[in-house]
Amino acid sequence: MDLDLFSLPPLPAGPVPDKLAWAYLLRCGDGSLYAGWTSDLPRRIAAHTAGKGARYTRARKAAGLAWCALLPNKSIAMRAEAALKRLDKPRKEALCAAWADAMRPRLFAAAPTDAADIAAVYGWYVRNSTATFAYTEPSTEDWAAEIAAASARYPFLVARSGSGALLGYACAHPWGSREAFDWDVETTVYCHPGAVGRGIARPLYAALLEALAAQGVWNAYARLADPNPASEKFHARMGFACQGRCPRTGYKLGRWVGLSTWCRALRPGRAAPEPVGPPLSGAALAALLDKNAFDGIG
């Protein structure tokens, strides 16, 4: 039986499966759409657009992702690929248009009601990635308490799709406990594994950094697992510079991992700072989030 492709949410609710599987449509230079499935969507799309993918996309110069759905397993992804191949061009285009609207990020201040979705996303990274050095997954209750506590001091932002799926989140915490660190923060951004490479992190991080600067924060620091070339490239594009590397810092997933420290100055100069104010809220925060939200697809 064919899958109803129009009923598939781009990102399913609930726990994120450890083994990822996507069905996708790729836009080619001649306007045609290529259907496929993969267990690593960012890598597969990069291969297609670099001319190293399928013969069809090599001949037609693949341009970028037009539609995808994160599915429970390889078998269902292969069935979805077969169903995509049977669609005519108008139906494929309708599918792509609906997906583009659904996946456009909308930015909001986080609330404790976001805790379950954040727990599901972060839990995947705990189990499958060295992006976090944590071994234990915080519970929904833990995240509800964390959102409430962190939001009292700094912005805690979420990006959601048009259908309400959590695309990612970004937040800040104190960089150090001593008083002289009061103008420094450590920043964090995570995207849903099914939304990586869709341009979600940039508006989230840009909004977070702008809101922190408006409060009076001077320096934003990020600690990245080393190596992590994708995150390093992203932070460099966001204005961060690497300030040092410590090899063999943490042991996770059967290997030693280093740690690099990155910094972005949010304010120039060396003048005496004013006290950091409360986080933005209300109309001021809404205007900032609206300004930074954009169509991040592609």
Side-chain angles (χ1 to χ4, degrees), residues 26-34 56 60 66 89 92-93:
L26 189 75
R27 177 77 63 187
C28 295
D30 64 356
S32 63
L33 291 162
Y34 170 84
Y56 184 95
R60 292 164 177 80
K89 185 68 163 20
K92 287 179 181 176
E93 292 291 357

Side-chain angles (χ1 to χ4, degrees), residues 24-98:
Y24 65 91
L25 286 170
L26 189 75
R27 177 77 63 187
C28 295
D30 64 356
S32 63
L33 291 162
Y34 170 84
W37 84 272
T38 181
S39 59
D40 189 337
L41 185 63
R43 181 176 297 180
R44 186 59 177 159
I45 297 304
H48 280 303
T49 54
K52 300 176 181 178
R55 181 182 301 174
Y56 184 95
T57 59
R58 290 198 304 270
R60 292 164 177 80
K61 296 183 179 180
L65 186 67
W67 175 91
C68 72
L70 178 62
L71 298 167
N73 53 54
K74 172 182 173 180
S75 176
I76 295 176
M78 293 177 71
R79 285 176 55 202
E81 176 192 23
L84 287 168
K85 291 180 182 297
R86 287 191 284 270
L87 289 182
D88 59 23
K89 185 68 163 20
R91 293 281 284 171
K92 287 179 181 176
E93 292 291 357
L95 193 65
C96 295

Side-chain angles (χ1 to χ4, degrees), residues 15 60 80 86-87 98 100 108 113 136 170 172 176 180 198 212 227 237 258 261:
R60 292 164 177 80
R86 287 191 284 270
L87 289 182
F108 305 95
T113 50
T136 303
R198 305 281 71 77
L212 288 167
R237 288 200 306 266
T261 301

Side-chain angles (χ1 to χ4, degrees), residues 103-152:
M103 286 293 285
R104 181 175 62 83
R106 284 81 167 170
L107 305 185
F108 305 95
T113 50
D114 295 306
D117 290 338
I118 291 175
V121 168
Y122 184 73
W124 185 91
Y125 286 95
V126 171
R127 298 189 306 271
N128 298 285
S129 173
T130 58
T132 172
F133 281 12
Y135 280 36
T136 303
E137 299 179 42
S139 67
T140 296
E141 293 73 21
D142 292 335
W143 272 111
E146 172 67 14
I147 292 167
S151 299

Side-chain angles (χ1 to χ4, degrees), residues 184-282:
D184 306 322
V185 298
E186 180 178 359
T187 54
T188 296
V189 61
Y190 282 95
C191 288
H192 190 297
V196 171
R198 305 281 71 77
I200 307 303
R202 184 160 71 91
L204 263 176
Y205 224 31
L208 176 69
L209 295 171
E210 184 175 346
L212 288 167
Q215 277 186 257
V217 173
W218 279 58
N219 300 301
Y221 291 91
R223 287 187 272 212
L224 312 182
D226 187 14
N228 190 340
S231 188
E232 290 192 9
K233 184 177 180 181
F234 168 73
H235 278 83
R237 288 200 306 266
M238 297 300 298
F240 285 73
C242 182
Q243 294 194 327
R245 299 178 187 273
C246 295
R248 207 192 63 177
T249 302
Y251 185 82
K252 189 178 181 187
L253 300 180
R255 65 184 186 275
W256 282 100
V257 184
L259 192 70
S260 62
T261 301
W262 294 66
C263 180
R264 172 173 160 174
L266 301 179
R267 291 183 170 226
R270 302 180 68 87
E274 296 292 331
V276 174
L280 294 183
S281 61

